Amino acid sequence: MTWLRFLLDRTAVLFLGVAAGAAIGYAFGTGNETKQAVSLAPEAAPVAASRPVAPPPPTGPAAPTGATVQTPTTTPGEVVEPTPGAVPVDTPTNQLASTVTQGKQVHVGVFGDSFGDGVWSGLYKLLPRDQYRVDKYSQASTGFTRYRRLNLENHDDQQIDGQPLDIAVIAFGANDAQGVCDGGHCGTLMSDFWQKVIGGRVESYVNMLRRHGATIYWVGLPVMRDASFDADALAMDQFYERLMQRLGVPYIDIRPFTVDAQGRYQAYYSDPGGSPKLLRAGDGIHMSMNGYMHVTKGLAARIQASVAAAKGKSDAGAPTP
C-alpha cells in the first residue's frame, strides 16, 4: 500500500503539471511547441535502497562562469527591475557574441517540464521583445527519469533543429522525484544508481546544448507545500547545484524567493509597493503567473547584464568612423 500511495502521489504531480502547462501555453503560446503524447505512469518501480545525497564525483575544477559587476542602469520603461546589489555577468559564448555583434535578437530557449513552461512565461514577459526572442521548448510531464518514453536529449536536439541558440534555460525536476531504471537495473530517488544515471543524462544534455553554442542556466525548484515532497525537491536541488558547479553552468536558486521570513512555504508575496500578490498555484507545486515573474526576475536581469556586457565589448572593438 505504501508503494501504491507513492505511485499515486507522483502521478498526481504529473497530471497537475499537464494542467499547469496547458494553462500557460494557452495564455502565452507562440506555436513553437512540438506536440507529443507522453505517458503519465512512472517508468518502473525502483528497487535499490535509498542512500544519503552525495555530490557527483569530481572530474576536475569547475569552469568559470563569469565575473560579478554592479547592476547596470535600465532604460526608462523597461520591464525588468534588477535585484539590488551585484548581478553576475557571464562570459558570452561565441554564438552569443556573434549575435550581439550583428545587432540581432538574442534567441533564448527554455527547456523543461510544466515548471519550465512557467519559467518560459516569466522570461517571455520580462525580457524586452525587441531585443530578445524567447521560445518555449519545454513540455509537461517529461523528465530525466522517463527516457524510456521520451529521450529528452534527442527530442530537444531535434526541436532546436540547427537554429542558432544564444541562451538555454533549463527547468526540470518535479517529475523526477521517483526512481529510475536503466540497463536492466533500477534505483530509488537519490540512490547512488539514481545519481549516476541522472547525472550522466543531464551532463550529456548540457553538452548537447553547448554544441548548439548556447550559454546555459539551470533553474532550481521552489519550496513545496508538502513536507515530504519538499524534502525530495531539496535533495534534487542540492544534487543539481553541485552537478552544475562541476559542469560550469550557473545554477539559479529560487527557493529563497518562495519562503517567508521563517523559511516556510508561502502562498503570497509582497510586491515593491507592499501589496500582497499570489505566488503559488493551488497544487502547492507550481507558481502563479505573477509568481513565475517573481522568481525569474533575477535571471532576466542576469541575462540582460551579460548581453549588455557583450555588447559593450563589441562596441569597444568596433572601428572608429
Side-chain angles (χ1 to χ4, degrees), residues 232-253:
D232 290 342
L234 177 59
M236 289 190 294
D237 275 348
Q238 292 171 342
F239 170 77
Y240 285 127
E241 183 173 12
R242 288 190 291 265
L243 179 58
M244 292 306 112
Q245 182 178 19
R246 179 167 68 81
L247 298 178
V249 172
Y251 177 86
I252 310 301
D253 182 11

Side-chain angles (χ1 to χ4, degrees), residues 264-283:
R264 300 171 303 195
Y265 173 94
Q266 63 173 359
Y268 291 84
Y269 72 101
S270 296
D271 67 12
S275 300
K277 296 288 185 182
L278 182 64
L279 178 67
R280 306 301 294 266
D283 60 12

Side-chain angles (χ1 to χ4, degrees), residues 33 39 159 206 215 242 253 258 286 288 290:
E33 183 179 12
S39 173
Q159 280 201 102
V206 166
T215 296
R242 288 190 291 265
D253 182 11
T258 61
H286 298 86
S288 68
N290 283 332

Side-chain angles (χ1 to χ4, degrees), residues 69 192 195 202-203:
V69 299
D192 289 345
Q195 294 186 51
V202 170
E203 182 169 357

